[in-house]
Amino acid sequence: MERKTRNAAKEKPGRNIAAALGRKPPRKAAREMLLLEARRLRGIFAEIAQRYVEEMEARIASAIAAMESRPLPPGKAEELLETVQSLSVKARKGRRKDLARIEKVTDALLKGLEEQG
């Protein structure tokens, strides 16, 4: 009998935790959990955005360094200039599609410079 009592005592805390996790949290606790998760989401977003900006700035800086380090044939320079000048964005709106356009132009610029190197 003592053996059953020991096993039952060991299982009770686990059952209580499982039962507690299975239940919906009270409204106040749910609100607090939601606030914590929203803050976590904000932090994740800021971290990803910061890394994206750093990566794009580094890629653009790389293109600038490549252009400064060696001369480009006039035809290639004009072609790349047209590519960059064709960029149409509305920076004040802060749209993702404008970031995608900048990324596309940067890719084209780097590719054009690699063809010369």
Side-chain angles (χ1 to χ4, degrees):
M1 283 239 181
E2 189 177 338
R3 190 174 210 174
K4 285 184 181 180
T5 308
R6 268 193 230 158
N7 289 339
K10 287 182 184 178
E11 291 177 6
K12 249 187 180 178
R15 285 183 183 173
N16 289 337
I17 292 171
L21 292 176
R23 281 187 246 131
K24 289 184 180 179
R27 286 185 183 190
K28 188 173 183 178
R31 181 180 176 277
E32 293 300 318
M33 289 172 65
L34 177 60
L35 282 169
L36 287 172
E37 288 299 318
R39 288 184 181 118
R40 187 176 72 84
L41 178 64
R42 183 180 185 189
I44 291 168
F45 175 79
E47 183 180 344
I48 290 170
Q50 180 182 0
R51 289 186 183 187
Y52 177 81
V53 167
E54 290 170 356
E55 180 186 332
M56 285 305 301
E57 285 181 340
R59 294 175 70 209
I60 294 168
S62 174
I64 292 168
M67 287 183 277
E68 290 175 338
S69 68
R70 63 180 184 269
L72 290 173
K76 187 52 132 178
E78 290 171 7
E79 176 188 327
L80 295 175
L81 179 60
E82 285 179 22
T83 301
V84 175
Q85 288 178 337
S86 70
L87 178 65
S88 175
V89 295
K90 295 180 181 175
R92 289 182 180 234
K93 290 193 173 188
R95 302 179 300 188
R96 284 187 299 166
K97 69 180 183 180
D98 289 336
L99 292 174
R101 288 175 180 161
I102 291 170
E103 188 171 355
K104 187 176 178 180
V105 167
T106 302
D107 289 343
L109 187 58
L110 287 168
K111 185 177 179 182
L113 292 169
E114 285 175 1
E115 291 171 357
Q116 290 307 124

